[in-house]
Amino acid sequence: MAKLSQDDLLAQFEEMTLIELSEFVKAFEEKFDVTAAAAVAAAPAGGAAGGAAEAVEEQDEFDVILTGAGDKKIQVIKVVRELTSLGLKEAKDLVDGAPKPVLEKVAKEAADKAAESLKAAGAAVEVK
């Protein structure tokens, strides 16, 4: 099997839904007997290098927040389901509970694409 570069891996993760990515992290933690939270907690202890890496991550991760459903609530629910792989009830609850995050800590391209889809469905969206 060919070894994947870091860029190839990131491209693959970028295409995954949040649920798929969460399942991957759980499987990774079990396979290698590690905890993702421990790696994050150790980053600030790394000194200046850890702080610099953390600052780069903040610029690369964006949250897509649904601020309002608009007039076409059903269309917005459909788009939320496509983006998150949530069930109908969960997607409806998310849309009804706006403002709520639809996607968290995603790449700029994925955040922009999701925001465009939601806006096309008639929703009010914020990318942070």
Side-chain angles (χ1 to χ4, degrees), residues 31 41 54 78 82:
K31 171 87 174 167
E54 201 171 302
K78 287 179 182 179
E82 290 172 13

Side-chain angles (χ1 to χ4, degrees), residues 87-109:
L88 180 60
K89 182 182 182 329
E90 291 84 3
K92 182 183 180 302
D93 291 345
L94 189 147
V95 171
D96 287 341
K100 290 241 180 174
V102 177
L103 298 174
E104 295 179 311
K105 298 182 181 178
V106 296
K108 176 77 171 151
E109 293 173 6

Side-chain angles (χ1 to χ4, degrees), residues 18 60-68 76 79-80 83-84 86 94-95 97-120 123-128:
L18 286 178
D60 291 342
E61 295 178 341
F62 296 88
D63 295 342
V64 179
I65 300 171
L66 177 70
T67 57
V76 174
V79 172
V80 167
L83 294 172
T84 62
L86 291 174
L94 189 147
V95 171
K100 290 241 180 174
V102 177
L103 298 174
E104 295 179 311
K105 298 182 181 178
V106 296
K108 176 77 171 151
E109 293 173 6
D112 289 341
K113 189 175 180 181
E116 282 181 34
S117 298
L118 287 164
K119 287 178 184 175
V125 181
E126 212 175 274
V127 178
K128 291 186 178 182

Side-chain angles (χ1 to χ4, degrees), residues 35-50:
T35 305
V40 172

Side-chain angles (χ1 to χ4, degrees), residues 18-85:
L18 286 178
I19 293 172
E20 292 169 335
L21 194 53
S22 174
E23 290 170 355
F24 170 77
V25 170
K26 288 177 188 172
F28 186 89
E29 289 174 342
E30 289 175 14
K31 171 87 174 167
F32 296 104
D33 195 28
V34 294
T35 305
V40 172
E54 201 171 302
V56 170
E57 281 186 38
E58 287 179 27
Q59 294 173 358
D60 291 342
E61 295 178 341
F62 296 88
D63 295 342
V64 179
I65 300 171
L66 177 70
T67 57
D71 294 337
K72 300 178 183 175
K73 186 174 167 183
I74 293 172
Q75 295 300 329
V76 174
I77 292 170
K78 287 179 182 179
V79 172
V80 167
R81 288 188 67 202
E82 290 172 13
L83 294 172
T84 62
S85 299

